[in-house]
Amino acid sequence: MRLPEGFPGRLLKRPVRLRLRRVSSLRATFTLSFAAVAAVVTVLVGFLSYDAAARLVRVDQQTVFAGVVQDLQVEVREQVLEPGDFAQSDPGHAGALDKIVRPSRTDVQVLGPGGAVVDRGHPPLPVAAVDQQAADASAAGTLAEHKEVEVGGNWYRVATVALGDGRGAVQVAQEFSDTEDLLNELQQRTVLLVAAVVIASGLFGWWLARRITRRLVRLAGAAEDVARTGRLGIQVPVAGYDEVARLGRSFDRMLGRLAQSEEDQRRLVQDAGHELRTPLTSLRTNISMLRRIDELPPAAREELVADLALESRELTDLVNELVALAAGRSDTEPVRRVDLGELAEDVAVVARRRSGRDIVVRVSGDVGVDGRPTALQRAVSNLVENAVKFDRGGAAVIEVVVVGGVGRVEGGGSGGVRVEVLDRGPGIGEGDLERVFDRFYRAADARSLPGSGLGLSIVREVAVGHGGAPFAYRREGGGVVIGFTVGGEGAGGGG
């Protein structure tokens, strides 16, 4: 079997991507970052501390040794001293020696003429050519220095000071290898301390990252479950009041809105399918009759054609209203200032021309709102068309009332502007008042009339989307008052 081009490469790349995803988790990133910062800070502090301590110790030792050598030079220049004055074996001449040894804990070795060792130090110090020259020097205080001299495995700094007139010299040595050993031990302990701090900071960072990201991990797990299963009813873990908790609550609310939207879509499809069956069945029946149209009498032909026109018109209206209802809050129409009084007058003009009915518009107060003009116009138009359809007498005046600055209204809701349509039709039964705004709901006495049962549900969607609510109640003397409010909290949110 021939493998496709690049097949091994894809197999090799996939594990690498998985490993990179694991390493780049928020918890690992936080832990590594915390440990890295702690390591940098600890190394920097440790290095600076060690460098300062080592520099201070070394400079202090050098300063002390330089002071001893300088005092010795002053002493031999002011006094005529012999090698025996510095001999450790001569207790009667220990004064000059004590001035050198006691303050600096130095080792002293006395040289005679020619550089011969008169009194050995402990340990014995090597005598180089420059030391012999200093012992034969005529000027007292002549100095020969050795910065690093190895004696018995230890390191010393050595200075040879001439006594003058070729009488000899005094060698002064200070051991610094023990100090370096001490500094090396301090360095090792600093490294161990840095390593311990880095490990401790890594563990603490892991614990802290685990504590901080625990809720994020649970939230990510919930999101992955939703993506994997498609179920929107998954319980989202929410605890606390910080940013993570706010994210969890927002995600939970988002899932709730999505679940509600999915349920609304499912119900809309089911209801639409149910409502579409009736006109489609009637159309199929009438179409089947068209094959025998030549056999029908002229009156039956006219009735069949009229019925086809009516059914096709109702089907068209139903589809248009379904599209408008499905668009709902996804309408992209921009929000702007709308004068509902002028809008209602425009709707009334169109309705008068179509129906020939007497429609009166009354406006009071400030009726301007921020909203979507097309959606609001459709809502008002649906109310007027509903009144025209059910007020079949045709004698009564249909009133459109637009009131601004209203408070709470009968039927629920509150808003800045109230739009209501009053008619003298048969009215609405008490049991139907609460359901007239449901999708596809039609009262028993209205099922014989044309319509889809979606007009008032669109009114409800527009009202709720503009921060208001629909309402309907029976009118004294017969008829119904039906309308909606807009301009409250959330106005302009869609329609």
Side-chain angles (χ1 to χ4, degrees):
M1 180 179 66
R2 184 179 179 183
L3 296 177
E5 184 177 357
F7 180 76
R10 287 196 296 271
L11 287 180
L12 291 175
K13 290 178 182 178
R14 182 172 297 175
V16 174
R17 287 198 297 268
L18 292 176
R19 286 197 297 271
L20 289 176
R21 267 199 292 269
R22 290 196 192 100
V23 173
S24 61
S25 67
L26 182 60
R27 183 178 298 177
T29 302
F30 190 89
T31 302
L32 293 177
S33 301
F34 195 90
V37 171
V40 170
V41 172
T42 307
V43 168
L44 184 62
V45 172
F47 172 78
L48 294 178
S49 301
Y50 170 79
D51 183 70
R55 188 184 303 274
L56 183 63
V57 170
R58 287 168 180 156
V59 170
D60 181 68
Q61 281 192 329
Q62 291 176 358
T63 301
V64 171
F65 184 73
V68 170
V69 173
Q70 186 176 5
D71 292 342
L72 180 59
Q73 287 179 303
V74 172
E75 186 175 4
V76 298
R77 286 170 183 167
E78 292 179 350
Q79 304 179 38
V80 178
L81 299 175
E82 299 293 334
D85 295 331
F86 296 92
Q88 301 180 39
S89 57
D90 186 3
H93 299 280
L97 183 61
D98 288 344
K99 292 180 181 179
I100 301 174
V101 176
R102 286 179 182 175
S104 61
R105 296 178 298 174
T106 54
D107 183 29
V108 178
Q109 179 170 277
V110 183
L111 302 179
V117 178
V118 176
D119 192 354
R120 293 186 179 276
H122 301 284
L125 301 177
V127 180
V130 292
D131 301 322
Q132 295 174 354
Q133 294 175 3
D136 293 334
S138 58
T142 302
L143 180 65
E145 289 185 292
H146 306 277
K147 294 184 178 180
E148 294 182 1
V149 176
E150 184 179 7
V151 180
N154 296 322
W155 290 92
Y156 291 80
R157 57 174 60 89
V158 180
T160 303
V161 179
L163 298 178
D165 297 331
R167 292 191 300 272
V170 178
Q171 286 185 302
V172 182
Q174 183 186 55
E175 183 181 357
F176 62 84
S177 59
D178 57 346
T179 303
E180 294 299 325
D181 293 339
L182 178 62
L183 293 177
N184 290 335
E185 184 178 357
L186 177 62
Q187 186 179 30
Q188 293 175 0
R189 292 187 178 184
T190 302
V191 172
L192 292 177
L193 178 62
V194 169
V197 170
V198 170
I199 294 175
S201 62
L203 294 175
F204 178 75
W206 177 84
W207 173 84
L208 186 60
R210 183 172 180 271
R211 183 179 179 86
I212 292 176
T213 61
R214 182 168 50 195
R215 290 177 294 165
L216 286 176
V217 170
R218 291 201 299 263
L219 189 59
E224 291 171 354
D225 289 341
V226 172
R228 184 178 64 255
T229 63
R231 293 186 294 109
L232 300 176
I234 292 178
Q235 183 67 29
V236 178
V238 178
Y241 299 94
D242 55 5
E243 288 79 1
V244 178
R246 289 172 54 194
L247 176 62
R249 291 189 182 91
S250 299
F251 185 66
D252 189 46
R253 287 193 297 268
M254 181 188 69
L255 288 181
R257 294 288 297 274
L258 288 176
Q260 183 62 42
S261 177
E262 185 180 50
E263 177 64 19
D264 291 343
Q265 291 178 3
R266 184 184 64 80
R267 287 195 300 108
L268 178 61
V269 171
Q270 290 178 348
D271 295 343
H274 176 74
E275 292 296 324
L276 285 171
R277 288 192 189 101
T278 300
L280 288 176
T281 302
S282 178
L283 282 173
R284 283 199 303 268
T285 302
N286 290 330
I287 290 173
S288 65
M289 293 294 294
L290 286 176
R291 298 176 181 177
R292 301 169 52 197
I293 192 170
D294 294 336
E295 303 174 7
L296 298 176
R301 293 179 187 178
E302 293 293 335
E303 183 180 355
L304 177 61
V305 173
D307 194 25
L308 281 171
L310 178 62
E311 292 293 343
S312 63
R313 185 168 58 252
E314 288 191 2
L315 183 60
T316 301
D317 292 340
L318 177 60
V319 172
N320 290 336
E321 290 183 342
L322 280 173
V323 171
L325 190 61
R329 297 178 183 271
S330 64
D331 193 354
T332 58
E333 183 185 10
V335 176
R336 63 183 180 86
R337 195 68 178 175
V338 179
D339 189 321
L340 287 181
E342 295 180 359
L343 187 145
E345 186 61 45
D346 294 339
V347 170
V349 170
V350 176
R352 291 189 198 106
R353 184 174 63 249
R354 290 179 178 177
S355 64
R357 297 292 301 273
D358 188 8
I359 301 174
V360 178
V361 178
R362 295 201 305 268
V363 180
S364 62
D366 182 10
V367 294
V369 295
D370 293 328
R372 306 184 188 275
T374 302
L376 291 170
Q377 184 175 14
R378 183 169 185 82
V380 177
S381 178
N382 285 358
L383 291 178
V384 174
E385 290 176 2
N386 186 76
V388 170
K389 179 174 62 177
F390 285 98
D391 189 358
R392 294 186 293 270
V397 176
I398 296 176
E399 301 177 33
V400 181
V401 180
V402 184
V403 182
V406 299
R408 195 165 190 85
V409 298
E410 183 179 353
S414 63
V417 180
R418 172 180 174 177
V419 180
E420 59 184 22
V421 177
L422 300 83
D423 62 58
R424 288 298 181 182
I428 302 176
E430 291 293 339
D432 297 326
L433 283 174
E434 296 181 357
R435 301 190 59 188
V436 293
F437 295 101
D438 293 343
R439 293 173 182 173
F440 302 107
Y441 179 77
R442 302 180 72 184
D445 57 352
R447 290 172 185 170
S448 60
L449 298 176
S452 63
L454 289 174
L456 295 184
S457 64
I458 293 176
V459 173
R460 181 185 62 184
E461 294 290 335
V462 173
V464 172
H466 286 75
F471 60 88
Y473 56 93
R474 298 170 66 88
R475 185 182 181 189
E476 293 184 4
V480 68
V481 178
I482 188 167
F484 62 93
T485 59
V486 293
E489 183 179 356

